[in-house]
Amino acid sequence: MALVNENFLKLPGSYLFSDIAKKVNTFKVTHPKQDVIRLGIGDVTQPLPPAVIKAMHNAVEEMASKSTFRGYGPEQGYNFLIETIIKNDYASRGISLEPSEVFINDGAKSDTGNIGDILRHDNSVGITDPVYPVYIDSNVMAGRAGDLIDGKWSNLVYIPCLSENNFIPQIPDRRIDMLYLCYPNNPTGTTLTKEELKKWVNYALENDTLILYDAAYEAYIQEPDVPHSIYEIKGAKKVAIEFRSFSKTAGFTGVRCGYTVVPKELNAITLDGEQVSLNKLWNRRQCTKFNGTSYITQRAAEAIYTPEGKEQIKEIINYYMTNAKIMKEGIESTGLKVFGGVNAPYLWVKTPNGMPSWKFFEQLLYEANIVGTPGVGFGPSGEGYIRLTAFGAREDCVEAMRRLKNWIK
Amino acid sequence: MALVNENFLKLPGSYLFSDIAKKVNTFKVTHPKQDVIRLGIGDVTQPLPPAVIKAMHNAVEEMASKSTFRGYGPEQGYNFLIETIIKNDYASRGISLEPSEVFINDGAKSDTGNIGDILRHDNSVGITDPVYPVYIDSNVMAGRAGDLIDGKWSNLVYIPCLSENNFIPQIPDRRIDMLYLCYPNNPTGTTLTKEELKKWVNYALENDTLILYDAAYEAYIQEPDVPHSIYEIKGAKKVAIEFRSFSKTAGFTGVRCGYTVVPKELNAITLDGEQVSLNKLWNRRQCTKFNGTSYITQRAAEAIYTPEGKEQIKEIINYYMTNAKIMKEGIESTGLKVFGGVNAPYLWVKTPNGMPSWKFFEQLLYEANIVGTPGVGFGPSGEGYIRLTAFGAREDCVEAMRRLKNWIK
């Protein structure tokens, strides 16, 4: 009989979001008349902007006619989209990239999950804590995480981000081979300034660390000193892969498109000390195990960068960030401590009197009928926090704050 | 510095199709007035059928309005598509499947490439030879293939399919843990009868072999005794994963959608002998490293199964299969031996007098201005063959046959 990859069996059986769904369901069954407001899951609610809709209709029409039909596209994505991305997201910030350094994908989850394919199973891995679970789970599957002991994976280096350190991860005192950074951060909603990110790039340069930089929430940055790309930091092309996504930028969670930048200057090493281009390896991986993203989707993504597209997504992001502002002010007015929500659509709320995340989750659900996400679900340093998201409808955010105030009072 | 997955470095530097592209380009530069007919690459040329176009426009419109907008869908795919697939592709042939046994994807290449994630790196692997390169390359990357010695990977079991055995792979005399079968076959265009496939299912049942069954060309089957699904064979649910694709069925090569069936009866084993459900493992893999296929694409796939959709794709498939018939007859009339082309859009042509594949490729290009794919590019048993595809325009197929006849004469 074929042997299974036993690393999979180390993963805990239950998922955070299915546990939440079960608890919410139990509440709804026992309280059928209560109206629950869901501020838990990070999915968008606003429809696609008109410029994107128009581009998709046009692309669908192209597929209807023999002379404009498109079959297999390049595995790496179409040049029309790659060039548009480079011009708008990078050249405009003084970063020069070659088209062959950008890989279009079907969303950042695939590439942040699959990137480990090109790396050895015994690299050491660092994560900020709390963290997006995909970074951990995909490394568990690859055998890099070790064993789960008291809620922590034995071979992972956890870098705590807490209110005590203002959610700024401290440079570790040891070498790490691979390090995941996500800024603006999911789940805390916090950011690093250029100065702070520079420390990490310098650490990586000094220690030959590969940074896996997830900038999926880049479009939500409002303040000037927050870097939009890690390549704004000198030397970063030598040490970092950057993941971007249109999911939150333009409501593409159901459309599926993002991209990954693998600079040509970026190397990893063989056991014999030979340096190898990760760009070349990733290209080989994608050519073998991926067949490109839908042509229609790529045309949709291109439309985000048109003048109308830019205007329209700005409006959508403003809508969510106004939600975030209303929520932040609402939470603060109750006396609870809240972080994030300024350059990111996530609010990271400290539970009162150090109450455990799940206990606060249940109280919030049963007494204020609001669904959040227990912070501990994102890692041990998330204990004592709950995540709320600003992706809901305005009226729900306002109503949730009204309930919260009444309840805390 | 992070360590690379050194298995990647074992892969040969050049790709079959880029080598071909270079040779064709050289010819075109040196012969600018010659009109080249490309019958090499397996991409479709007919536009999407009207039922699919209509469904996509409708789905795009849904995404434009708040009340019908869809964000993240299930990682496994939407139930509306899964139920439609089960009803039309399986229940209609007496095969019962549960919705949770079907996983919608962005094309069969992703899943045939990624399926190895859930299996150990040291399973033994069998392939029919010649073969679709993704099966081999993805196993090289995972460390299962060993080393490339004289054109063969040391840890793979090659099962030759040649005119001498009528392209029917012989049951090996040893156990294999994982076995790839692709029927109708790419590249030979040949099929197995139910009786022949049954032998493989029985071999798998007796030897606890996992069959990875690629049925991407199922829609091209014309003859009654050719199985459309491996699950038509008794016991197959205990041993086989089946991959299907809409790429060739409905012209989705640029749209990206397919599905994978992982039956709940199917187990693999741990080193300790514990049986583990592969359905559960694959579900975990997909939930961690994939975020579902575009909603619009899934609605497009659903439309293939409407009465109009079925009628329209039948017409397209008839178009390609008429091409295949014209080509088969054309090639036969020159005295060359040709296989396939009856239940598949591929024609597998034996070169005259055992001429090597690449030599025949060059002669065909320079003397008849036709591009094929050298059979040896698909593996050692492909030497002495060339693959032609029936996906071209009718007039090109007719003209190619005219040229071939004149040239051979």
Side-chain angles (χ1 to χ4, degrees):
Chain A
M1 198 170 270
L3 291 164
V4 297
N5 175 353
E6 294 191 29
N7 296 311
F8 272 70
L9 308 180
K10 296 181 174 179
L11 289 165
S14 69
Y15 308 118
L16 175 61
F17 290 103
S18 65
D19 289 348
I20 292 171
K22 270 180 218 152
K23 283 182 193 284
V24 173
N25 202 39
T26 303
F27 175 79
K28 291 189 88 166
V29 168
T30 52
H31 304 74
K33 285 185 181 163
Q34 300 297 78
D35 169 44
V36 170
I37 298 178
R38 294 168 186 270
L39 301 176
I41 293 179
D43 197 1
V44 297
T45 54
Q46 294 292 305
L48 293 179
V52 167
I53 295 292
K54 192 179 151 204
M56 292 182 103
H57 278 309
N58 289 346
V60 169
E61 268 318 295
E62 282 184 66
M63 298 296 268
S65 159
K66 197 171 171 174
S67 61
T68 50
F69 173 78
R70 307 257 190 155
Y72 289 123
E75 286 95 343
Q76 302 85 351
Y78 279 102
N79 248 313
F80 65 76
L81 179 55
I82 292 174
E83 303 272 10
T84 303
I85 286 168
I86 290 176
K87 185 179 153 203
N88 287 277
D89 291 344
Y90 294 97
S92 66
R93 297 186 189 281
I95 300 159
S96 70
L97 288 176
E98 289 175 34
S100 55
E101 294 177 304
V102 177
F103 297 83
I104 309 297
N105 61 34
D106 68 333
K109 192 178 176 193
S110 303
D111 282 9
T112 50
N114 291 327
I115 195 75
D117 279 14
I118 62 172
L119 298 161
R120 257 180 82 96
H121 65 279
D122 51 3
N123 284 295
S124 59
V125 178
I127 51 146
T128 57
D129 173 35
V131 76
Y132 176 49
V134 166
Y135 310 151
I136 293 185
D137 291 359
S138 59
N139 278 295
V140 173
M141 291 172 175
R144 281 188 207 98
D147 295 300
L148 187 60
I149 299 166
D150 297 335
K152 283 193 179 187
W153 292 93
S154 55
N155 289 351
L156 296 188
V157 178
Y158 288 77
I159 307 168
C161 296
L162 302 157
S163 64
E164 289 78 355
N165 61 20
N166 214 11
F167 299 95
I168 298 167
Q170 267 218 294
I171 303 285
D173 51 12
R174 48 166 287 189
R175 268 206 73 240
I176 298 171
D177 295 317
M178 297 162 56
L179 170 73
Y180 290 84
L181 291 178
C182 171
Y183 287 100
N185 187 255
N186 175 17
T188 68
T190 58
T191 50
L192 294 184
T193 61
K194 267 188 197 161
E195 208 46 53
E196 287 151 0
L197 185 56
K198 201 172 168 181
K199 288 180 198 162
W200 282 102
V201 171
N202 288 340
Y203 165 82
L205 286 164
E206 282 158 24
N207 291 277
D208 285 326
T209 299
L210 171 64
I211 297 178
L212 301 160
Y213 193 75
D214 186 346
Y217 298 92
E218 171 272 338
Y220 290 82
I221 295 171
Q222 311 286 320
E223 295 181 322
D225 194 36
V226 178
H228 289 247
S229 164
I230 194 167
Y231 306 122
E232 293 179 40
I233 312 296
K234 207 180 147 189
K237 277 194 195 173
K238 286 192 167 50
V239 293
I241 291 174
E242 181 163 291
F243 303 94
R244 294 272 193 109
S245 168
F246 300 114
S247 284
K248 308 299 161 73
T249 304
F252 271 40
T253 53
V255 175
R256 314 303 316 137
C257 197
Y259 63 89
T260 298
V261 180
V262 189
K264 293 205 166 159
E265 298 170 38
L266 178 64
N267 288 328
I269 206 163
T270 66
L271 282 180
D272 291 341
E274 189 200 339
Q275 299 217 1
V276 178
S277 157
L278 287 181
N279 178 283
K280 233 169 137 177
L281 256 53
W282 184 245
N283 186 54
R284 195 64 159 102
R285 192 267 168 213
Q286 291 299 83
C287 287
T288 301
K289 295 172 137 195
F290 184 60
N291 228 338
T293 302
S294 157
Y295 171 69
I296 296 152
T297 300
Q298 292 190 60
R299 283 293 183 199
E302 184 192 26
I304 300 169
Y305 295 98
T306 58
E308 316 83 69
K310 282 181 188 173
E311 203 48 56
Q312 291 161 6
I313 65 164
K314 205 174 140 191
E315 236 175 80
I316 297 175
I317 289 169
N318 281 345
Y319 179 89
Y320 293 136
M321 290 312 287
T322 304
N323 284 351
K325 193 163 177 278
I326 290 167
M327 291 167 69
K328 194 174 173 74
E329 288 171 3
I331 297 163
E332 279 169 347
S333 77
T334 66
L336 287 175
K337 273 208 164 171
V338 56
F339 306 91
V342 177
N343 296 298
Y346 292 128
L347 295 123
W348 192 242
V349 184
K350 207 170 166 111
T351 62
N353 310 315
M355 188 189 291
S357 296
W358 276 109
K359 191 170 172 198
F360 187 67
F361 165 86
E362 301 232 2
Q363 288 197 358
L364 198 63
L365 175 60
Y366 277 79
E367 292 167 28
N369 307 153
I370 298 169
V371 181
T373 310
V376 70
F378 297 100
S381 295
E383 181 57 288
Y385 293 88
I386 200 158
R387 189 189 75 173
L388 298 181
T389 79
F391 288 124
R394 175 68 41 79
E395 55 276 21
D396 288 343
C397 294
V398 171
E399 169 62 12
M401 290 309 107
R402 197 192 59 76
R403 291 186 192 173
L404 192 71
K405 282 178 210 171
N406 279 344
W407 173 51
I408 299 274
K409 206 167 54 188
Chain B
M1 196 170 271
L3 291 165
V4 297
N5 175 352
E6 294 190 29
N7 296 312
F8 272 69
L9 308 180
K10 295 180 175 179
L11 288 165
S14 68
Y15 307 118
L16 174 62
F17 289 104
S18 65
D19 288 349
I20 293 172
K22 270 181 217 150
K23 284 182 193 283
V24 173
N25 202 39
T26 303
F27 175 80
K28 291 191 87 167
V29 168
T30 51
H31 304 74
K33 285 185 182 163
Q34 300 298 77
D35 169 43
V36 170
I37 297 178
R38 292 167 187 273
L39 300 176
I41 295 180
D43 197 1
V44 298
T45 54
Q46 293 292 305
L48 293 179
V52 167
I53 294 292
K54 191 179 151 205
M56 291 182 106
H57 278 310
N58 288 346
V60 169
E61 269 318 295
E62 282 184 67
M63 298 296 266
S65 158
K66 199 172 169 171
S67 61
T68 49
F69 174 78
R70 307 257 190 154
Y72 289 123
E75 285 95 344
Q76 303 85 352
Y78 279 101
N79 248 314
F80 65 76
L81 179 55
I82 292 174
E83 303 273 10
T84 303
I85 286 168
I86 290 175
K87 185 180 153 203
N88 287 277
D89 291 343
Y90 294 98
S92 65
R93 297 186 188 281
I95 300 159
S96 70
L97 288 177
E98 289 175 33
S100 55
E101 294 177 304
V102 178
F103 297 84
I104 309 298
N105 61 33
D106 68 332
K109 192 178 175 191
S110 302
D111 281 9
T112 49
N114 291 327
I115 194 75
D117 278 15
I118 63 172
L119 298 161
R120 257 180 81 99
H121 65 280
D122 52 2
N123 283 296
S124 60
V125 178
I127 51 147
T128 56
D129 174 34
V131 76
Y132 176 48
V134 166
Y135 311 151
I136 293 186
D137 290 359
S138 60
N139 277 297
V140 174
M141 290 173 177
R144 280 188 207 98
D147 296 300
L148 187 60
I149 299 165
D150 297 335
K152 282 194 179 186
W153 292 93
S154 55
N155 289 350
L156 297 188
V157 177
Y158 288 76
I159 307 167
C161 295
L162 302 156
S163 63
E164 288 78 357
N165 59 21
N166 214 11
F167 300 96
I168 297 166
Q170 268 219 291
I171 303 283
D173 51 12
R174 47 166 288 191
R175 267 207 72 241
I176 298 172
D177 295 317
M178 298 162 54
L179 169 75
Y180 291 83
L181 292 178
C182 172
Y183 287 99
N185 188 256
N186 175 18
T188 67
T190 59
T191 50
L192 294 185
T193 62
K194 267 188 198 160
E195 209 44 55
E196 287 151 0
L197 185 57
K198 202 173 168 181
K199 288 182 198 162
W200 281 101
V201 171
N202 288 340
Y203 165 81
L205 286 164
E206 281 158 24
N207 291 276
D208 285 328
T209 298
L210 171 64
I211 297 179
L212 301 160
Y213 193 76
D214 186 346
Y217 299 92
E218 170 273 336
Y220 291 81
I221 295 171
Q222 312 284 322
E223 294 182 323
D225 193 37
V226 178
H228 290 246
S229 163
I230 193 165
Y231 306 123
E232 292 178 39
I233 312 297
K234 205 179 148 191
K237 277 195 195 172
K238 284 190 167 52
V239 293
I241 291 174
E242 180 162 290
F243 304 95
R244 294 272 192 110
S245 168
F246 299 115
S247 284
K248 309 297 161 72
T249 304
F252 272 39
T253 53
V255 174
R256 314 304 313 138
C257 197
Y259 63 88
T260 298
V261 180
V262 189
K264 293 204 167 159
E265 298 172 38
L266 178 64
N267 288 329
I269 206 163
T270 66
L271 282 181
D272 291 341
E274 189 200 338
Q275 299 216 2
V276 178
S277 155
L278 288 181
N279 179 283
K280 233 170 138 178
L281 257 51
W282 183 245
N283 187 52
R284 194 65 160 102
R285 193 269 168 210
Q286 291 300 81
C287 287
T288 301
K289 296 172 137 195
F290 184 60
N291 229 337
T293 302
S294 158
Y295 171 69
I296 296 153
T297 300
Q298 292 189 60
R299 284 292 183 200
E302 185 192 27
I304 299 169
Y305 295 98
T306 57
E308 316 84 67
K310 282 181 187 171
E311 203 46 56
Q312 291 161 7
I313 66 165
K314 204 174 141 193
E315 236 173 80
I316 297 175
I317 288 167
N318 281 346
Y319 180 89
Y320 294 136
M321 290 311 289
T322 304
N323 284 350
K325 191 164 178 278
I326 290 168
M327 290 166 70
K328 197 175 172 73
E329 288 169 4
I331 297 163
E332 279 169 347
S333 78
T334 67
L336 287 174
K337 274 210 162 170
V338 57
F339 306 91
V342 176
N343 296 297
Y346 293 127
L347 295 123
W348 192 242
V349 185
K350 207 168 168 117
T351 62
N353 311 314
M355 189 188 293
S357 295
W358 276 109
K359 192 172 173 198
F360 188 67
F361 165 86
E362 301 232 2
Q363 288 197 357
L364 199 61
L365 174 60
Y366 278 78
E367 293 167 28
N369 307 153
I370 297 169
V371 182
T373 309
V376 70
F378 297 100
S381 296
E383 181 57 288
Y385 293 88
I386 199 158
R387 189 190 76 174
L388 299 181
T389 79
F391 288 124
R394 174 69 42 79
E395 55 275 22
D396 288 343
C397 295
V398 172
E399 169 61 13
M401 290 309 107
R402 197 193 58 78
R403 290 186 193 174
L404 192 72
K405 282 179 210 169
N406 279 343
W407 173 51
I408 299 274
K409 207 167 50 187

